[in-house]
Amino acid sequence: MIEFRNVKKSYPNGTVALKGVNLHIDDGEFVFIVGHSGAGKSTLMKLLLCEEKATSGNIIVGQYNLTTTPNRRIPHYRRQLGVVFQDFRLLPNMTVYENVAFAMRVVGTPSKMIKRRVPAILNTVNLSDKHSAFPHELSGGEQQRVALARALANNPSVIIADEPTGNIDPQMSLEIMNLLVKINKLGKTVIVVTHEQSLVDYYKQRVIRIQDGLVIDDYVGGMFNETV
Amino acid sequence: MRRYNLFYFIGEALKSLKRNGVMTFASIAVLLSCLLVISGFSLLVLNIDVNLEKLGTLNEIVVFCQPDATEEEIDAVEAAIHKLDNVDTVTHSTKAEQLKQLKEEDPDLYGDITAEENPLSDSFAIKYKDNDKVSTLDYELKQIEGVRKVRNSLDLSNKIEGIKQSIMIVFFWFLAILFVVSIFIIINTIKIAVLNRKKEISIMRYIGATAWFIILPFIFEGIIMGTVAGLASFFIVKFGYSAIVNGAGEDLAMLSFVGFSDISTYVLLGVLAIGILTGVIGSSISLSKYLKD
């Protein structure tokens, strides 16, 4: 469960990014977060990833209240999230296998477990045959699938995808979205921040629209431009 | 720390050290210089101490009578010496014996001097019991009538002690400066390493790596640099010191040198401890901000 209760965020330069956001996402939901540039989507993501602290209000994710979680607990909180970025953020000097294994090693997973689990995850994202390739040898869509595999590596309960299809062609975008839907069906909460109207329209999932630092639209099965 | 993590940390540290080869080399070289100065000065001070002790163990004061003293006067001096508290043994050496010895040593120079012309004085070599009361004894001896001069090794010992103090002060400042320079250069090396791995570190944070997991490879970098510099300085000191002692042994036969095998364990532990400590301090300072969040 993810809950924002009257969350406000202003930056030291005076910019007020969020002006009192309230939202509730249940476990196992698939949610699109949409909005124009500067609407507050990125700030919302940063708060969710604990890159920034809210100025006021409460953010609850599972057992964590992010406004009161001490810094030393943040790494443990982040382990229940799997994050996918627009620019993939893969380590260029590591192979596909190593990139996924790295995520597991970071949280102290034993080598035996890593050896068993990585091939299974690569199979989930249809990359078994590319396990020894380096990121630069892969297409954009394939790189994003590696990022997705890495996000899944530690079996997180929530997957956050920030513009996951922003850097890949439309056909690959569909493939990535299908994978996210598949992952959601495995019981994981999936939050996709996107600009892409066609995808939002096609998948007909819950849409939360943010504008000027406020949630102005929250509609299940909604279309990108639909307003309440 | 789990075993598989330890291998990972050391592996990452080695990779990073190789990647920043020039800075790694510079850090190790500066740290090595620092350790060489520390060990060099320490060995110097240690040897001065040993030789000072040797001077102390001579515990001998020589009292000279007037050159024209009569036998009665000389006997009176000897009797007065025996009465003093701190006196252990007294050995009388007549001026005739001394001249004879000089003539044997250098017949050309002293061969012509007759017994009447003998300018030397009868002397008493005094061994004393208590080192701490030697100044009092020295004073008491000078008060005896018929004593021309009292010679002791106190002045030399004081002079050497003074030199030792000066060396210690120079040593301390030199060490402090080198230590600061070493830490500074290690800080820079680690900062460059962190910069090189900025992307990796940011990904590690998103994945849920703890601050310690992120910084430990860098701390290991510091430890490895410290260990390499420590071991290198140990071997340089080992061979350098032996060469100096062997070379100087012939020219400075009156000095005693501490054998390297007697102190090798302390030197090794010392340079390793200082090297590793410097490495850890340097890397910790450059990573302090990562420890905070």
Side-chain angles (χ1 to χ4, degrees):
Chain A
M1 182 266 290
I2 297 169
E3 192 161 354
F4 279 59
R5 293 181 196 152
N6 197 24
V7 174
K8 293 177 184 169
K9 174 67 188 175
S10 45
Y11 290 100
N13 66 2
T15 311
V16 181
L18 297 181
K19 297 171 180 166
V21 169
N22 287 294
L23 60 87
H24 180 102
I25 299 169
D26 273 325
D27 288 343
E29 269 198 88
F30 191 115
V31 178
F32 283 112
I33 294 178
V34 299
H36 298 294
S37 295
K41 302 191 305 289
S42 296
T43 300
L44 197 109
M45 282 294 109
K46 281 179 182 170
L47 292 177
L48 215 45
L49 294 174
C50 270
E51 267 186 80
E52 297 282 351
K53 288 249 179 204
T55 311
S56 66
N58 282 306
I59 305 169
I60 320 283
V61 181
Q63 72 214 53
Y64 292 90
N65 182 341
L66 302 191
T67 36
T68 56
T69 300
N71 284 346
R72 65 187 162 77
R73 295 295 305 164
I74 289 173
H76 301 276
Y77 158 70
R78 285 180 177 149
R79 290 175 192 181
Q80 60 174 3
L81 309 177
V83 192
V84 178
F85 298 97
Q86 181 175 5
D87 56 357
F88 322 131
R89 298 196 193 175
L90 299 176
L91 293 165
N93 53 346
M94 288 186 188
T95 63
V96 167
Y97 179 95
E98 287 165 347
N99 263 287
V100 180
F102 177 70
M104 298 177 78
R105 189 179 291 123
V106 160
V107 299
T109 312
S111 300
K112 263 188 188 170
M113 180 96 81
I114 294 176
K115 279 179 191 157
R116 208 169 48 225
R117 188 158 161 76
V118 176
I121 298 169
L122 288 178
N123 189 41
T124 310
V125 296
N126 306 323
L127 275 176
S128 296
D129 53 333
K130 302 272 185 180
H131 65 92
S132 53
F134 285 93
H136 69 269
E137 297 168 331
L138 303 174
S139 69
E142 285 170 331
Q143 288 188 55
Q144 195 58 296
R145 278 191 279 156
V146 179
L148 201 50
R150 184 181 63 193
L152 288 169
N154 293 319
N155 199 20
S157 50
V158 181
I159 297 285
I160 299 172
D162 189 4
E163 302 281 0
T165 55
N167 272 355
I168 51 182
D169 58 51
Q171 195 188 336
M172 286 296 173
S173 297
L174 268 182
E175 200 179 323
I176 293 295
M177 287 308 300
N178 284 338
L179 274 172
L180 286 168
V181 170
K182 184 173 156 190
I183 289 162
N184 174 243
K185 282 182 179 156
L186 293 172
K188 298 190 190 301
T189 308
V190 176
I191 300 171
V192 180
V193 177
T194 187
H195 271 107
E196 298 203 35
Q197 184 180 342
S198 57
L199 286 178
V200 177
D201 291 348
Y202 179 78
Y203 284 96
K204 295 189 173 56
Q205 299 282 352
R206 179 179 170 193
V207 179
I208 295 170
R209 179 139 30 121
I210 296 180
Q211 194 175 301
D212 294 330
L214 289 167
V215 173
I216 57 155
D217 195 358
D218 188 346
Y219 186 76
V220 178
M223 305 285 276
F224 191 89
N225 285 323
E226 193 166 354
T227 50
V228 177
Chain B
M1 193 187 303
R2 296 182 181 95
R3 190 167 50 88
Y4 47 88
N5 277 348
L6 182 68
F7 291 136
Y8 164 78
F9 292 142
I10 294 172
E12 289 301 305
L14 288 172
K15 264 193 262 175
S16 179
L17 287 169
K18 197 176 155 198
R19 198 157 39 200
N20 309 319
V22 177
M23 280 307 286
T24 303
F25 180 77
S27 301
I28 292 176
V30 173
L31 192 53
L32 175 62
S33 323
C34 180
L35 292 172
L36 284 177
V37 171
I38 295 171
S39 1
F41 271 102
S42 305
L43 288 171
L44 183 64
V45 169
L46 184 65
N47 277 298
I48 289 175
D49 257 349
V50 166
N51 283 285
L52 271 181
E53 260 175 48
K54 194 179 136 200
L55 273 181
T57 57
L58 287 175
N59 70 342
E60 189 177 87
I61 293 183
V62 183
V63 170
F64 296 91
C65 299
Q66 297 295 344
D68 54 355
T70 62
E71 267 188 46
E72 290 75 30
E73 283 167 340
I74 291 165
D75 289 344
V77 169
E78 186 169 7
I81 292 170
H82 276 294
K83 280 185 194 160
L84 297 173
D85 273 352
N86 200 11
V87 173
D88 189 11
T89 61
V90 180
T91 312
H92 184 192
S93 163
T94 64
K95 59 192 226 178
E97 283 166 1
Q98 292 166 31
L99 183 64
K100 192 179 159 202
Q101 196 183 346
L102 284 176
K103 281 181 175 180
E104 279 166 11
E105 281 172 13
D106 197 341
D108 294 339
L109 195 62
Y110 303 108
D112 296 340
I113 302 174
T114 62
E116 289 72 35
E117 292 168 337
N118 187 352
L120 302 170
S121 311
D122 273 46
S123 66
F124 297 98
I126 301 158
K127 296 262 185 199
Y128 47 83
K129 298 170 194 161
D130 190 347
N131 229 357
D132 296 337
K133 293 178 185 163
V134 67
S135 302
T136 315
L137 178 62
D138 184 74
Y139 175 77
E140 288 167 343
L141 289 169
K142 280 175 182 160
Q143 302 308 308
I144 296 172
E145 204 181 325
V147 168
R148 180 167 68 98
K149 191 182 171 190
V150 177
R151 190 185 75 195
N152 59 39
S153 50
L154 277 178
D155 285 351
L156 182 60
S157 151
N158 286 339
K159 267 182 200 159
I160 294 175
E161 188 65 39
I163 292 170
K164 194 181 118 189
Q165 295 294 334
S166 314
I167 289 175
M168 289 293 277
I169 292 166
V170 173
F171 169 63
F172 176 78
W173 283 109
F174 211 67
L175 185 67
I177 292 166
L178 272 177
F179 192 65
V180 170
V181 171
S182 301
I183 288 188
F184 183 73
I185 201 154
I186 287 175
I187 289 173
N188 274 304
T189 307
I190 302 291
K191 271 192 180 162
I192 289 173
V194 171
L195 217 65
N196 277 338
R197 296 178 62 193
K198 209 174 164 189
K199 188 176 174 186
E200 199 176 325
I201 290 171
S202 110
I203 293 169
M204 284 164 89
R205 290 162 74 105
Y206 284 122
I207 293 169
T210 57
W212 279 109
F213 189 91
I214 293 170
I215 71 161
L216 271 174
F218 299 106
I219 301 277
F220 271 88
E221 273 189 52
I223 292 175
I224 292 170
M225 285 192 280
T227 309
V228 171
L231 287 176
S233 70
F234 173 75
F235 286 110
I236 292 172
V237 166
K238 185 178 181 219
F239 294 113
Y241 182 74
S242 305
I244 290 169
V245 168
N246 290 338
E250 292 159 15
D251 302 331
L252 301 164
M254 72 282 232
L255 294 179
S256 11
F257 291 99
V258 179
F260 192 78
S261 53
D262 299 338
I263 47 165
S264 61
T265 314
Y266 300 109
V267 174
L268 180 63
L269 291 179
V271 290
L272 278 181
I274 297 171
I276 291 172
L277 191 70
T278 315
V280 170
I281 292 174
S283 43
S284 304
I285 291 173
S286 48
L287 293 160
S288 51
K289 73 168 184 164
Y290 287 93
L291 267 177
K292 282 180 200 145
D293 52 25

